[in-house]
Amino acid sequence: MSDYLYKELPKLGFGLMRLPTIPGGSQKDIDFDQVTKMVDMFMERGFSYFDTAYIYHEGASESVIKKCLVGKYPREKFQVVDKMPMWNITGFDSYERIFQDQLSKTGLEYFDIYFLHGIGVNNFETIDHTEGWKFLKSLKERGLAKHIGFSYHSPAEPLDKLLGEHPEIEVVQLQLNYLDWESEQVQSRKCWEACRKHGVAVTVMEPIKGGSLANPHPTVQKVFKELEPDSSAASWALRFAASHDGIITVLSGMSNIDQVDDNTKSMANFKPFGEKEFAAVEKAVKAFNEIPIIPCTSCRYCTNDCPQRINIPAIIGMVNEYIKYQSTSSVGFGYMMAIGQGGRASSCVECHSCEEHCPQHIKITEHLKKAAELFEKNMPGRPGR
Ligand code: SF4
Ligand code: SF4
């Protein structure tokens, strides 16, 4: 791992998965006017790390690199991470074909870090029998990736074993945030410890848990405000993640210029947390844990194969709103928006494909039933699509 990435890189990376889109458009219709301003602000403030993937924004995210960075900034002034979509792999040939497509979409000649995307116990075998590790190593040998690794979505024990078997892995992207630090499902702390044990660097995804730590319940906000009246809750989440050893950078999937402004200000003169701050986070977790919401991060991995085109994260978001405010009338409009371009919750045929892809292990079908009960009772009839 280069010293620059490990020691000097500012500890905030720009995740290109929740970009603003043109009103009324699909995920593909990225609002490039806004995104260009966001990227420029990010670069002007001394940050330089961008994280994209083949599947983000239905395949459109990688083009941000070409449109907003390549040719505008010297190549050595920014770092780009891209990822191989493991669910598209049918054999060894798929790797090269997709990788060449990624080079072409980004306009780059190499990636600073290249990951196998979404590694977990369910696809270890696929990687082995399609020779994914061999392909990954070849990228480094050919100078097409400076560093190699994978993003990871399973418990710590298999991660420890995997890293023992693959000493070529230099970096792992982990879901790490203060709410999941001790969670039995996500196991942020244990996964981070496994990486440290093998001397593997870590990049952090979901430090703000898909935005849900940006504006937490007032009881949580109160804990932070008592110690730092002027810092945002998002800043606490980012700084917590960045305050651990071996972290290359912490990604934030920013959606507007205000978020870029706040996050870059928070991380400009970053200092790792001391005892006082860690104690405040512990208190905040306690307050948070008393609000029982569904831990959806809006990653949208569940929506790709849904035969009913159900906007799962949006509907789950409405159930969470209900849990917080205990009122269907205040979220009824939000539910109508959530089903505006897809099926109703009640149109679910319980094929469970979504649940197989959910890194948070959410029982999606159960929550959809609950949403149908809550929000569809008084709706005019319309066949579920
Ligand atoms: S279980 Fe329901 S929501 Fe999930 S993919 Fe199948 S139809 Fe869609
Ligand atoms: S339900 Fe799971 S897969 Fe779907 S958006 Fe939420 S966290 Fe992601």
Side-chain angles (χ1 to χ4, degrees):
M1 180 61 54
S2 74
D3 266 11
Y4 180 75
L5 277 187
Y6 218 10
K7 295 183 183 152
E8 293 164 45
L9 189 77
K11 299 225 179 289
L12 175 68
F14 197 148
L16 303 173
M17 77 291 274
R18 291 192 186 92
L19 298 166
T21 51
I22 309 275
S26 72
Q27 281 290 305
K28 275 187 174 172
D29 300 313
I30 293 170
D31 181 343
F32 281 103
D33 288 345
Q34 265 203 72
V35 173
T36 303
K37 287 181 193 140
M38 291 161 70
V39 167
D40 288 345
M41 178 186 271
F42 189 75
M43 291 291 288
E44 279 156 20
R45 294 186 178 183
F47 298 89
S48 54
Y49 184 104
F50 295 84
D51 175 281
T52 186
Y54 201 64
I55 63 157
Y56 294 165
H57 281 272
E58 296 173 11
S61 166
E62 288 161 328
S63 62
V64 169
I65 305 297
K66 195 183 225 170
K67 291 194 180 175
C68 303
L69 287 162
V70 174
K72 192 166 170 183
Y73 297 95
R75 179 64 184 92
E76 67 281 8
K77 296 287 183 201
F78 62 89
Q79 299 81 38
V80 176
V81 178
D82 208 343
K83 311 186 194 81
M84 177 63 64
M86 292 310 298
W87 39 88
N88 290 10
I89 299 299
T90 51
F92 188 68
D93 292 351
S94 315
Y95 290 106
E96 189 67 26
R97 179 178 48 76
I98 292 171
F99 185 81
Q100 289 303 330
D101 194 21
Q102 292 178 303
L103 286 180
S104 152
K105 279 159 86 180
T106 54
L108 296 176
E109 286 171 358
Y110 67 89
F111 296 109
D112 297 271
I113 301 179
Y114 194 82
F115 287 138
L116 299 184
H117 195 176
I119 300 313
V121 287
N122 59 336
N123 56 19
F124 286 178
E125 257 181 49
T126 309
I127 307 172
D128 286 343
H129 85 245
T130 56
E131 299 186 284
W133 302 116
K134 180 176 149 192
F135 174 77
L136 197 59
K137 268 199 265 185
S138 83
L139 293 181
K140 197 162 172 197
E141 286 154 11
R142 290 184 282 160
L144 297 171
K146 300 273 185 211
H147 303 288
I148 53 174
F150 53 84
S151 64
Y152 187 73
H153 293 283
S154 274
E157 215 177 294
L159 174 63
D160 184 19
K161 187 164 175 282
L162 192 66
L163 292 176
E165 290 164 359
H166 290 281
E168 72 274 21
I169 295 302
E170 300 164 282
V171 49
V172 172
Q173 185 149 304
L174 290 178
Q175 179 168 317
L176 193 159
N177 57 66
Y178 67 76
L179 215 47
D180 289 325
W181 188 242
E182 297 295 349
S183 129
E184 260 320 293
Q185 283 80 36
V186 179
Q187 302 190 352
S188 289
R189 175 179 59 77
K190 289 180 184 167
C191 287
W192 169 76
E193 284 171 355
C195 292
R196 297 316 299 141
K197 176 180 156 189
H198 293 277
V200 168
V202 171
T203 56
V204 175
M205 58 182 154
E206 307 293 8
I208 312 178
K209 207 167 165 59
S212 48
L213 304 183
N215 189 27
H217 192 272
T219 53
V220 178
Q221 301 259 19
K222 190 167 164 263
V223 175
F224 294 140
K225 291 288 174 203
E226 271 168 12
L227 202 59
E228 291 178 9
D230 298 329
S231 299
S232 67
S235 137
W236 275 88
L238 289 173
R239 289 180 293 142
F240 170 83
S243 290
H244 297 89
D245 288 343
I247 304 287
I248 293 180
T249 203
V250 173
L251 299 172
S252 176
M254 294 176 271
S255 304
N256 58 54
I257 197 118
D258 290 344
Q259 289 172 2
V260 180
D261 184 38
D262 182 48
N263 290 346
T264 49
K265 279 179 181 158
S266 302
M267 300 302 280
N269 298 305
F270 169 72
K271 294 213 171 38
F273 277 178
E275 254 175 55
K276 251 194 321 191
E277 290 86 359
F278 278 122
V281 169
E282 235 175 82
K283 221 170 137 189
V285 171
K286 202 166 164 281
F288 224 116
N289 285 341
E290 282 157 16
I291 313 167
I293 57 165
I294 307 158
C296 174
T297 64
S298 295
C299 66
R300 304 191 71 82
Y301 292 160
C302 56
T303 56
N304 290 341
D305 297 328
C306 174
Q308 301 298 91
R309 294 178 54 245
I310 297 174
N311 190 345
I312 297 163
I315 293 177
I316 287 183
M318 290 305 113
V319 178
N320 274 337
E321 292 292 294
Y322 175 79
I323 291 168
K324 281 187 262 176
Y325 304 113
Q326 295 294 302
S327 153
T328 49
S329 57
S330 63
V331 291
F333 179 71
Y335 182 73
M336 294 301 283
M337 297 285 286
I339 62 170
Q341 293 182 334
R344 289 179 178 189
S346 59
S347 70
C348 171
V349 294
E350 297 191 45
C351 65
H352 298 283
S353 156
C354 52
E355 293 175 352
E356 281 161 24
H357 289 104
C358 177
Q360 309 299 328
H361 312 288
I362 292 171
K363 298 210 178 319
I364 295 168
T365 48
E366 284 178 21
H367 294 302
L368 291 181
K369 278 185 201 158
K370 178 80 182 161
E373 255 173 53
L374 286 170
F375 307 126
E376 293 185 19
K377 250 187 283 174
N378 301 319
M379 267 172 57
R382 189 194 71 161
R385 279 180 291 168

